[in-house]
Amino acid sequence: MEYADIVVAVVGVFAVAWIADLLTGRRGLFAASLVAGTGAACGWFLAVRVFDAATMDDFVWTAWAVGGSVLALIAFYLFRNTR
């Protein structure tokens, strides 16, 4: 499959967002998915463009994308405004 790494990254990022939403009391899956997707894009950019640690031909960048989404979700739930 030509785009298997992209499918794995998208499913992994959505799973991380869903787990984060479950752990925080179901506050909103859309917000968690948006933050996780943004973090995944940042993780991909760091892996492929900035640090040159991976290419789009291997699965290493998917770990960077999932790691970026985890870090973004941690920052989101740590610093969000709770009323």
Side-chain angles (χ1 to χ4, degrees):
M1 247 171 92
E2 188 175 350
Y3 299 108
D5 52 350
I6 297 172
V7 172
V8 168
V10 168
V11 169
V13 167
F14 186 75
V16 166
W18 182 61
I19 291 169
D21 187 45
L22 284 175
L23 290 175
T24 58
R26 309 276 284 154
R27 303 239 176 206
L29 185 59
F30 179 74
S33 299
L34 184 64
V35 171
T38 304
C42 293
W44 170 84
F45 186 78
L46 285 173
V48 174
R49 293 292 191 183
V50 176
F51 296 129
D52 199 24
T55 63
M56 289 295 291
D57 294 333
D58 55 5
F59 276 91
V60 175
W61 70 268
T62 59
W64 280 75
V66 172
S69 67
V70 168
L71 288 175
L73 284 167
I74 289 171
F76 174 68
Y77 287 118
L78 188 62
F79 296 115
R80 71 183 175 145
N81 186 9
T82 56
R83 296 179 190 193

